[in-house]
Amino acid sequence: MTRRKRIDFDGVRRELAGRCFICEQLAGNPEYAHHVVYEDEQVIAFLQRFQTIYGYVLVAPKEHREHVVDDFSEDEYLGLQAVVHRVGRAICRTVPTERLYVLSLGSRQANAHVHWHLAPLPPGVPFEEQQLAMLDTDLGLDLGEDELVDLAARIRAQLAETGTGPPGA
């Protein structure tokens, strides 16, 4: 049986008060620390703070940008997608995954910093609970800090083990 807990996303938005949670993390604000699975000079990937799906990771450019294609040169965009691919492969090798969902979500009202969601659909989920229904929930996994540390470490290990580390590695 999977332990779940309710997530107050409205409360989270009020707490942020218009601040960018990715920029806050990059600035070292401990209130917005996430478990990092990958980082280089331009990109950071980390466990989604509220694990609604086990192994859910966000990938973002370190520089605050808001438009998913217009704010990037083609080379910058392709570099980001190379990291999305590498981290996605590591996730799929770490947790049971029927399909890896890759989306760029956010809005001007909240989460304006461009980021990609890498959400591994577990095997056996009924069709009506898949796709956007899988992501549109306020029920998060009730994971302890030890479980999150372990999960992040296993994804990092897969990145290192499979040669899916930094671009050019």
Side-chain angles (χ1 to χ4, degrees), residues 26 36-45 59-63 79-80 82-84 86-87 165-168:
L26 290 167
V36 175
V37 299
Y38 173 86
E39 185 171 8
D40 65 23
E41 297 79 29
Q42 286 83 34
V43 182
I44 188 165
V59 177
K62 286 185 170 181
E63 184 178 322
L80 279 162
V83 173
V84 167
R86 290 178 176 124
V87 172

Side-chain angles (χ1 to χ4, degrees), residues 1-5 51-54 122 139-143:
M1 182 79 177
T2 303
R3 300 177 327 264
R4 295 265 178 190
K5 63 181 176 183
Q51 290 281 295
T52 53
I53 302 171
Y54 189 71
L139 291 176
L141 299 173
D142 189 11
L143 301 175

Side-chain angles (χ1 to χ4, degrees), residues 120-134:
L121 175 70
V125 174
F127 177 73
E128 56 277 357
E129 296 175 24
Q130 294 181 16
Q131 302 178 58
L132 293 178
M134 188 80 189

Side-chain angles (χ1 to χ4, degrees), residues 66-122:
E66 297 186 2
H67 296 279
V68 73
V69 290
D70 288 342
D71 283 356
F72 300 95
S73 70
E74 186 173 339
D75 287 342
E76 290 171 326
Y77 186 84
L78 293 175
L80 279 162
Q81 293 312 301
V83 173
V84 167
H85 179 261
R86 290 178 176 124
V87 172
R89 288 180 61 202
I91 293 166
C92 291
R93 289 184 169 112
T94 303
V95 301
T97 305
E98 180 175 311
R99 177 170 295 250
L100 181 68
Y101 297 145
V102 179
L103 308 96
S104 179
L105 302 171
S107 74
R108 293 263 183 198
Q109 290 81 30
N111 303 329
H113 192 131
V114 168
H115 58 284
W116 284 264
H117 295 246
L118 283 65
L121 175 70

Side-chain angles (χ1 to χ4, degrees), residues 10 12 21-22 25 30 40 94 103 145 156 158-159 167:
D10 289 333
V12 171
F21 77 94
I22 295 169
Q25 174 177 330
D40 65 23
T94 303
L103 308 96
E145 182 65 17
R156 283 193 303 274
Q158 278 299 320
L159 281 162

